[in-house]
Amino acid sequence: MTTHTGGCQCGAIRFRAEGVLKDSSICHCRMCQKAFGAYYAPLVSVRGVEFHWTRGQPKRFQSSNHVKRGFCGDCGTPLTYEAPDGMAIAAGAFDDP
Ligand SMILES: [Zn+2]
Ligand SMILES: [Zn+2]
């Protein structure tokens, strides 16, 4: 079993994903640009993978009808893209991105 861990910049929020992460993407949509304060958002899908928040919980912002975005309420690190068909984690939030 492959284990991937990560968290936000301040450490208030930590997560663990167990399984093979194979679906990564770069999204250039306007909402990802705003959410990440960057030209694009690097994301890794955790669909079909055992995923747990191991410390804290992200705050969530509903950025459109279908999508919520999770971030650390203390340090502001972008953490998730949550759609009805699954969740993706900000690639840079992993300990080994
Ligand atoms: Zn934080
Ligand atoms: Zn996007």
Side-chain angles (χ1 to χ4, degrees), residues 1-23:
M1 187 64 86
T2 315
T3 300
H4 305 273
T5 56
C8 67
Q9 194 170 20
C10 77
I13 297 179
R14 296 285 301 163
F15 61 80
R16 184 175 69 231
E18 284 164 19
V20 179
L21 302 175
K22 48 188 184 244
D23 181 12

Side-chain angles (χ1 to χ4, degrees), residues 22-94:
K22 48 188 184 244
D23 181 12
S24 60
S25 61
I26 298 279
C27 187
H28 293 80
C29 83
R30 197 67 190 106
M31 286 173 288
C32 282
Q33 290 179 338
K34 286 284 192 183
F36 282 71
Y39 295 117
Y40 54 80
L43 295 161
V44 179
S45 173
V46 292
R47 198 180 311 158
V49 168
E50 184 96 4
F51 183 89
H52 300 284
W53 298 105
T54 53
R55 188 190 304 149
Q57 278 283 329
K59 285 198 171 178
R60 290 181 172 87
F61 171 68
Q62 183 105 33
S63 62
S64 69
N65 286 347
H66 299 298
V67 176
K68 287 193 186 105
R69 293 167 186 277
F71 58 95
C72 176
D74 292 332
C75 70
T77 301
L79 292 168
T80 70
Y81 170 97
E82 300 174 36
D85 64 341
M87 180 166 82
I89 300 294
F94 283 90

